Amino acid sequence: MPTKNYFDNTEVAFKLKSDSELERAYFLFKMISKEPLVRIGTAVTKFALNINLPVESLIRATVFDHFCGGVSEMDCMTTVDRLYDVGVFSVLDFSVEGKEEEAQFDATAKKVVELTHFAKNKEAMPFSVFKPTGFGKFDVFRKKSEKATLTESEENQWQQIVRRYEDVSKTAYDCDISLLIDAEEYAMQDAADMLCEKMMEKYNREKPVVFNTLQCYRWDRLEYLKEHHQRAKEKGYKLGYKIVRGAYLEKENERALEKGYPSPICESKKATDDNFNEIMTYIMSNLDDISLFVGTHNEGSTYLAMELMEQMGIAKDDPRMWFGQLYGMSDHITFNLGEMGYNVAKYLPFGPVKDVMPYLIRRAEENTSVAGQTSRELSLLKKERNRRKL
Ligand SMILES: Cc1cc2nc3c(=O)[nH]c(=O)nc-3n(C[C@H](O)[C@H](O)[C@H](O)COP(=O)(O)OP(=O)(O)OC[C@H]3O[C@@H](n4cnc5c(N)ncnc54)[C@H](O)[C@@H]3O)c2cc1C
């Protein structure tokens, strides 16, 4: 591991934040560090939004503006440009979740196609992204994953999902933009993986255009990766993978218990960390075949990647190797990596306040004292407040 702590520089980490934005972030992380407050806060917010209480402006002024780029893609452009000025790329993420209508799935796919065309002429945006359940119903993915027989209507819906995957993948190929596909819940992921493999087989012939995501809290992912690598070699196409630890830990363990199947999740945090690092090392050792997007806020894994790059003679700006963090989190990693010349991007979510609530709730939950990320964010914010004498 590099001996110096490269991420300690809070002046670099928070250089885009004004004093008032820094104070807001400090206040916010202090609030969401309290687990009971997050639990009560999310319940009250959901209720208030459902009965149309006017809480949107309050949400906008607090969590929304901290974790999102805006309501529309145009709102995000100032942030995209400011990030690019300091060496950080943007992945615009239309984070509308929980939709169930075919017309809404079409609208989301259309939005991803539009954003991909837009990104073609915007150097600051080398990636597009979408979530499988943004393009179709969770239950259709789930039944397809279980190899259950679909009703005629479900079969039609599946064909529409395939068409939407095809539309965005072809657009990404035509625009020469890499397309990241997020991973979601275990119960529906097999069908999403299978469809993604088809897109890769078609569009990754010359280079990786379509990227799937491996959630390394799943103990079966290294084996899956190795098998997929073998299949891709036999069929003559390249792979692209984003690796993350995984965001649905409690839900997965609860569902496995409820349905009586073994949990797909590693037995401990340490096992997840080891799995993440092993998967990352495997990909980096096969960079000619597999491009990598390391999506993490974990300093240890980021250091390991930097160390391996040095050992393996991989240039900091090698186009096959990317780092990524979520907007509003771990700026100390993002901005210091950018300053050192690594390829690094922020996932920048946007969408109507009500529709991005599931995303915001996941962020609040993963930042409680229980999940353990807040204390680090808070201590860095505190350090920078002291440095600025606020
Ligand atoms: C750019 C980017 C893209 C992302 N895309 C996705 C995506 O497509 N799909 C998705 O699911 N998530 C995605 N995430 C979210 C990611 O999964 C979370 O950021 C992650 O859960 C936090 O992990 P970390 O690597 O930052 O590090 P850490 O904070 O060190 O790790 C926390 C994670 O470790 C795991 N963990 C914690 N406790 C245990 C335990 N007891 N047993 C086993 N494992 C445990 C969990 O996954 C937990 O979230 C993305 C994140 C980023 C930065």
Side-chain angles (χ1 to χ4, degrees):
M1 299 267 160
T3 45
K4 188 170 174 290
N5 190 345
Y6 290 105
F7 305 141
D8 261 0
N9 190 337
T10 57
E11 188 178 353
V12 171
F14 298 113
K15 66 181 157 194
L16 291 190
K17 287 220 183 310
S18 65
D19 288 354
S20 62
E21 284 168 338
L22 194 76
E23 290 293 61
R24 185 188 63 197
Y26 183 69
F27 170 76
L28 192 68
F29 277 98
K30 266 205 120 131
M31 288 294 121
I32 60 182
S33 69
K34 298 176 179 35
E35 202 257 346
L37 206 65
V38 169
R39 221 169 347 101
I40 297 163
T42 49
V44 171
T45 312
K46 274 184 202 163
F47 177 73
L49 284 170
N50 278 341
I51 61 165
N52 291 323
L53 283 183
V55 288
E56 281 206 15
S57 49
L58 179 66
I59 298 169
R60 273 213 78 159
T62 52
V63 268
F64 184 88
D65 279 351
H66 182 82
F67 289 112
C68 298
V71 171
S72 71
E73 59 272 45
M74 287 334 279
D75 289 348
C76 299
M77 284 310 134
T78 316
T79 307
V80 169
D81 291 338
R82 290 180 77 209
L83 290 171
Y84 190 59
D85 282 346
V86 293
V88 175
F89 294 80
S90 294
V91 184
L92 252 61
D93 182 9
F94 185 52
S95 290
V96 167
E97 295 186 28
K99 301 290 181 195
E100 286 290 307
E101 304 291 328
E102 291 301 301
Q104 291 164 329
F105 298 136
D106 274 334
T108 302
K110 188 165 168 259
K111 177 69 82 183
V112 179
V113 165
E114 282 167 12
L115 282 169
T116 309
H117 279 295
F118 183 74
K120 184 181 172 189
N121 300 314
K122 188 97 183 157
E123 228 174 283
M125 293 167 48
F127 295 95
S128 280
V129 65
F130 74 92
K131 268 195 170 32
T133 58
F135 282 10
K137 283 189 191 144
F138 178 93
D139 272 337
V140 174
F141 277 103
R142 180 185 55 79
K143 282 184 83 171
K144 197 81 189 165
S145 298
E146 289 167 355
K147 299 191 169 47
T149 310
L150 302 188
T151 63
E152 200 182 321
S153 154
E154 287 165 345
E155 187 51 47
N156 284 337
Q157 290 171 39
W158 175 252
Q159 289 314 322
Q160 294 306 312
I161 293 173
V162 175
R163 175 184 58 78
R164 292 178 193 116
Y165 266 67
E166 176 65 41
D167 285 352
V168 293
S169 302
K170 182 173 184 314
T171 306
Y173 178 85
D174 290 341
C175 294
D176 197 16
I177 291 289
S178 304
L179 177 66
L180 302 171
I181 305 181
D182 283 349
E184 298 180 79
E185 294 174 42
Y186 172 73
M188 46 68 63
Q189 193 58 44
D190 273 0
D193 289 342
M194 183 264 289
L195 193 48
C196 185
E197 282 199 28
K198 279 197 177 150
M199 297 302 127
M200 287 177 164
E201 192 176 336
K202 192 161 174 188
Y203 293 106
N204 289 7
R205 291 273 153 196
E206 299 115 56
K207 65 175 191 178
V209 170
V210 180
F211 283 57
N212 204 0
T213 299
L214 294 166
Q215 294 161 309
C216 304
Y217 65 8
R218 281 183 56 173
W219 47 259
D220 64 352
R221 292 294 83 180
L222 179 60
E223 199 184 329
Y224 171 76
L225 168 65
K226 287 181 176 170
E227 286 169 7
H228 189 197
H229 185 194
Q230 196 50 42
R231 279 195 292 281
K233 278 206 284 202
E234 282 159 15
K235 292 185 175 168
Y237 64 92
K238 303 281 184 193
L239 296 183
Y241 268 112
K242 163 158 68 84
I243 60 168
V244 299
R245 279 179 170 73
Y248 307 87
L249 177 85
E250 277 159 35
K251 220 174 187 178
E252 294 296 8
N253 283 329
E254 279 165 19
R255 183 179 288 136
L257 201 65
E258 185 194 315
K259 304 268 179 204
Y261 58 79
S263 172
I265 306 297
C266 293
E267 61 186 10
S268 64
K269 169 72 163 70
K270 161 98 176 53
T272 294
D273 290 346
D274 291 346
N275 200 36
F276 186 98
N277 292 342
E278 208 177 330
I279 286 176
M280 185 168 76
T281 307
Y282 179 86
I283 297 180
M284 291 178 70
S285 310
N286 289 284
L287 221 48
D288 285 339
D289 298 336
I290 317 173
S291 287
L292 178 61
F293 187 106
V294 184
T296 187
H297 305 132
N298 183 295
E299 291 170 14
S301 293
T302 310
Y303 274 141
L304 177 63
M306 292 160 74
E307 173 86 355
L308 288 172
M309 284 174 81
E310 201 174 321
Q311 276 172 22
M312 294 174 177
I314 302 166
K316 286 179 181 169
D317 62 349
D318 188 309
R320 300 166 301 174
M321 178 85 205
W322 282 80
F323 294 89
Q325 288 77 43
L326 305 179
Y327 186 69
M329 288 176 73
S330 295
D331 287 348
H332 66 305
I333 298 182
T334 313
F335 291 104
N336 282 300
L337 282 174
E339 171 113 339
M340 286 183 274
Y342 290 91
N343 293 325
V344 63
K346 279 286 196 200
Y347 252 45
L348 187 56
F350 72 94
V353 176
K354 202 170 175 176
D355 297 334
V356 299
M357 276 319 287
Y359 175 87
L360 290 175
I361 290 169
R362 276 205 302 283
R363 295 296 75 82
E365 284 171 352
E366 93 182 13
N367 278 294
T368 61
S369 49
V370 178
Q373 299 228 30
T374 343
S375 56
R376 194 182 51 199
E377 294 282 355
L378 266 178
S379 70
L380 290 160
L381 287 161
K382 212 186 252 172
K383 189 175 161 199
E384 180 60 6
R385 283 172 91 231
N386 289 340
R387 197 193 63 79
R388 293 191 196 180
K389 301 192 174 40
L390 295 179

